[in-house]
Amino acid sequence: RRGTSFCMPTTVDDESRGGGPDRPREPRPDALQHTKVTIRRGVRVIAPQGVFDDPVTAEVEALMDADPGPAVVDLGECVLTSVEVLQFLVAARQDRTGADLAVACRRGTGRQMLPRAGIDRQLAVFLTVEDAIQAHLFCRAGIGPGWVVNDST
């Protein structure tokens, strides 16, 4: 399996800390409790765990703010209880430059909530993290749109 999982945030500069595209970076001292971070092929995968509530939202926001590089928020390992907790993803996308944020959600109930929160009009949504990473890598190679969302509605 590519990538290494750990339940701590990461520093921004993985090269100076001995990390690489598929190796974990040195964790910061203020470790997160509800979010798993994986680095796969140069893309951070941020996976909230358990019930997606305000403390989890704060952790995911902190991770996205700490590193402006490409990231996938994997909603497949959490329980979404309301549309409101997903609203920060729309704001996070607007704060980031380029199409460097995507969402992966394999759970049917979670995928039903994404349109109600407006996520599908602002962010590229994929069934799996692997699909999101593949689209990103293809785009970097000049093939396909990557994580660009074309909302013509």
Side-chain angles (χ1 to χ4, degrees):
R1 182 176 116 170
R2 297 188 69 86
T4 302
S5 294
F6 52 98
C7 292
M8 295 183 209
T10 58
T11 58
V12 175
D13 184 8
D14 66 17
E15 297 300 323
S16 67
R17 306 267 186 178
D22 291 323
R23 292 178 300 215
R25 301 174 192 167
E26 185 177 310
R28 292 189 323 220
D30 55 336
L32 299 178
Q33 301 299 315
H34 308 288
T35 308
K36 181 171 66 174
V37 177
T38 305
I39 301 171
R40 298 185 197 171
R41 302 190 68 182
V43 176
R44 272 178 320 125
V45 178
I46 301 168
Q49 308 290 298
V51 176
F52 201 116
D53 53 10
D54 290 338
V56 176
T57 300
E59 289 182 359
V60 173
E61 282 183 300
L63 276 169
M64 289 191 301
D65 290 344
D67 186 348
V72 176
V73 177
D74 181 6
L75 300 176
E77 298 182 37
C78 66
V79 177
L80 300 173
T81 57
S82 73
V83 172
E84 289 76 26
V85 295
L86 295 173
Q87 294 297 324
F88 83 94
L89 288 171
V90 174
R93 170 62 180 97
Q94 293 169 350
D95 291 343
R96 298 170 73 92
T97 58
D100 60 353
L101 181 62
V103 173
C105 186
R106 66 180 176 265
R107 298 177 76 159
T109 54
R111 289 183 72 82
Q112 290 173 354
M113 285 186 147
L114 297 178
R116 291 189 291 178
I119 302 296
D120 61 330
R121 292 184 301 276
Q122 300 290 324
L123 294 165
V125 178
F126 296 89
L127 186 62
T128 66
V129 170
E130 292 76 19
D131 290 345
I133 292 171
Q134 190 66 46
H136 179 70
L137 293 174
F138 277 157
C139 182
R140 283 184 22 198
I143 304 167
W147 296 347
V148 175
V149 177
N150 182 11
D151 181 30
S152 58
T153 58

